[in-house]
Amino acid sequence: MTTHTAIILLAAVIIGLIAGTLTFLGGTAVPAAVLAGLSASGLSIPVLRSLIG
């Protein structure tokens, strides 16, 4: 794994955690918050790849 890949995946995990936590604190159920965090993490990978690229 290259450093570039590690940085992108780490940033995506952090974005997913933040999105999931904020969704949960907003009053949604835990499964919906997990789904929001996973979605944000997955969708941020191509964006981060193009920005950091």
Side-chain angles (χ1 to χ4, degrees):
M1 179 184 307
T2 64
T3 306
H4 181 262
T5 304
I7 290 172
I8 288 175
L9 291 177
L10 179 64
V13 167
I14 292 171
I15 289 170
L17 286 172
I18 292 171
T21 302
L22 289 175
T23 304
F24 176 72
L25 292 176
T28 344
V30 174
V34 170
L35 186 61
L38 288 174
S39 298
S41 179
L43 290 173
S44 68
I45 290 175
V47 175
L48 290 169
R49 186 170 181 229
S50 67
L51 286 176
I52 296 174

